[in-house]
Amino acid sequence: MTSNDDANNVPLLTPYKMSKFHLSHRVVLAPLTRQRSYGNVPQPHAILYYQQRTTKGGLLISEATGVSDTAQGYKDTPGIWTKEQVEAWRPIVDGVHAKGGTFFCQIWHVGRVSNSTFQPNGQAPISSTDKPVKSQHVAKFTPPRRLETDEIPFIINNFRVAARNAIEAGFDGVEIHGAHGYLIDQFLKDHVNDRTDIYGGSLENRCRFAVEIVQAVVDEIGADKVGIRLSPFANYSGAVDSNPEALGLYMANALNNFGVLYCHVVVPRMVKNGENSETPSNIGLMRSAFKGTIIVAGGYSREDGNHAISSGYADLVAYGRLFLSNPDLPRRFEIDATLNKYNSETFYTPDPVLGYTDYPFLPSDV
């Protein structure tokens, strides 16, 4: 993509070897829910969407993809628990590979961040707790049902099967979604997890669910195909922990036991007047402890993404809204071109084109 001289001036565009994956740059497509998988089945229009954002040697992470029929919390998000879904993903993955990209499938379960209308037979969402998500919209989230201890292995198996299905669909690996207040995070955070069994109480017990999912997925597809996304320092959907530094450090060390490929850390960053600034997160402890690749996400610009790489703060930087609105984002970063502005009003519209595949590219002669 760039000459060596150009790459030296733009740290984000330097190559990176992530185990067997030879990446040509460090700009990652972050997982972005787009709600255009009608009936929870990926659609053909996703082929163009992901292909537009693919560069040879680039890493893409798919939108969050449900591991079961209880995993859903939003309309028209994709799944990967049925044969129909696996087959629907296959041409999308093939499209990314045709352009030389590396493609990971983010697998998730929303837990209590759901409504009974998205659940089988209108049942209550499942969680680590029976405490509901506090929301300004009273009817948005249904009070959850606390999982019984003997039910948890079935949920863990859902992640294992989803990982196997992702590889069957052609993905290069999976990213376990352990962030943003969803099910795994509901076990990790002590302000949500009020259990008294082996999955609650101590830090080790609260991390047990996440660790057992990682083990199951690693055993199924191999550690070299497994990443995980964590947000110990953030408080999405009320998922707060009293000691996020200890939580992040514990998980970093636990992940080392399995040799997983990468840890994708969401860094809380305040956005004010269009400018980002770091909030205290002490991610350095995780960075020092974890032996694999570190990806960071959190509203990074070109400038502070370059700084994250050049300072050794991270190995790769994931971009969401900027990559959504600039399908040629690595090229724009290369020449420091003006960026398209994103339209948040079309993030989740069901239209297969509007706000999805209609963002303009740079002219070919630029």
Side-chain angles (χ1 to χ4, degrees), residues 19-345:
S19 185
K20 64 183 179 183
F21 302 106
H22 294 265
L23 306 180
S24 61
H25 59 82
R26 301 172 188 241
V27 181
V28 178
L29 174 66
L32 296 166
T33 293
R34 303 309 312 275
Q35 293 185 241
R36 289 166 169 86
S37 295
Y38 313 138
N40 305 128
V41 178
Q43 298 294 307
H45 49 246
I47 300 172
L48 177 58
Y49 170 75
Y50 282 108
Q51 273 197 324
Q52 285 180 333
R53 289 154 184 82
T54 301
T55 54
K56 185 176 182 180
L59 173 62
L60 297 83
I61 306 170
S62 82
E63 59 208 277
T65 302
V67 300
S68 72
D69 58 356
T70 69
Q72 305 303 305
Y74 306 92
K75 182 177 173 57
D76 293 332
T77 53
I80 198 161
W81 71 88
T82 71
K83 183 175 179 58
E84 179 187 11
Q85 291 164 341
V86 171
E87 292 304 314
W89 270 116
R90 198 183 303 277
I92 302 168
V93 178
D94 288 346
V96 170
H97 287 161
K99 292 190 66 176
T102 297
F103 203 8
F104 272 54
C105 181
Q106 188 190 67
I107 53 177
W108 75 338
H109 194 301
V110 301
R112 68 176 187 165
V113 186
S114 186
N115 186 287
S116 59
T117 59
F118 296 114
Q119 297 297 312
N121 304 314
Q123 66 194 34
I126 56 176
S127 180
S128 63
T129 181
D130 57 10
K131 295 183 295 187
V133 180
K134 293 182 179 179
S135 173
Q136 295 177 340
H137 309 286
V138 177
K140 184 176 182 182
F141 302 119
T142 301
R145 178 180 68 82
R146 185 194 311 271
L147 281 165
E148 300 293 338
T149 306
D150 61 2
E151 292 179 292
I152 290 177
F154 294 98
I155 308 302
I156 293 169
N157 191 59
N158 290 156
F159 278 87
R160 181 187 65 80
V161 173
R164 183 181 68 202
N165 287 347
I167 299 304
E168 183 180 338
F171 283 100
D172 298 291
V174 301
E175 176 177 287
I176 299 165
H177 197 344
H180 288 180
Y182 297 120
L183 183 61
I184 293 174
D185 213 22
Q186 291 159 30
F187 276 84
L188 292 173
K189 303 290 182 62
D190 60 10
H191 284 205
V192 179
N193 187 339
D194 55 0
R195 304 179 70 89
T196 58
D197 62 0
I198 61 170
Y199 292 96
S202 69
L203 178 59
E204 179 182 4
N205 281 358
R206 285 184 283 112
C207 293
R208 188 185 306 276
F209 181 61
V211 169
E212 289 183 351
I213 287 174
V214 171
Q215 180 169 8
V217 171
V218 165
D219 288 347
E220 184 66 33
I221 66 173
D224 61 339
K225 300 182 185 70
V226 178
I228 187 170
R229 196 179 215 202
L230 298 171
S231 58
F233 314 105
N235 58 359
Y236 295 93
S237 299
V240 181
D241 194 78
S242 60
N243 192 341
E245 289 80 11
L247 174 59
L249 184 60
Y250 183 94
M251 283 302 300
N253 286 317
L255 294 172
N256 287 336
N257 294 331
F258 301 102
V260 301
L261 184 64
Y262 70 76
C263 184
H264 184 175
V265 185
V266 179
V267 182
R269 291 157 56 80
M270 297 175 63
V271 180
K272 186 176 182 180
N273 298 326
E275 296 181 359
N276 294 322
S277 61
E278 300 292 347
T279 57
S281 66
N282 215 356
I283 188 178
L285 291 174
M286 293 184 71
R287 172 60 165 167
S288 298
F290 184 61
K291 296 177 181 177
T293 293
I294 287 284
I295 306 174
V296 294
Y300 284 85
S301 66
R302 177 183 186 270
E303 180 182 8
D304 49 24
N306 279 327
H307 180 261
I309 300 301
S310 62
S311 65
Y313 182 82
D315 300 304
L316 306 170
V317 180
Y319 288 86
R321 290 169 293 181
L322 293 186
F323 222 147
L324 180 156
S325 55
N326 296 273
D328 52 356
L329 187 64
R331 172 61 177 158
R332 290 177 188 258
F333 279 175
E334 178 186 351
I335 62 175
D336 201 13
T338 301
L339 300 180
N340 299 324
K341 293 183 178 180
Y342 55 83
N343 180 4
S344 58
E345 293 182 1

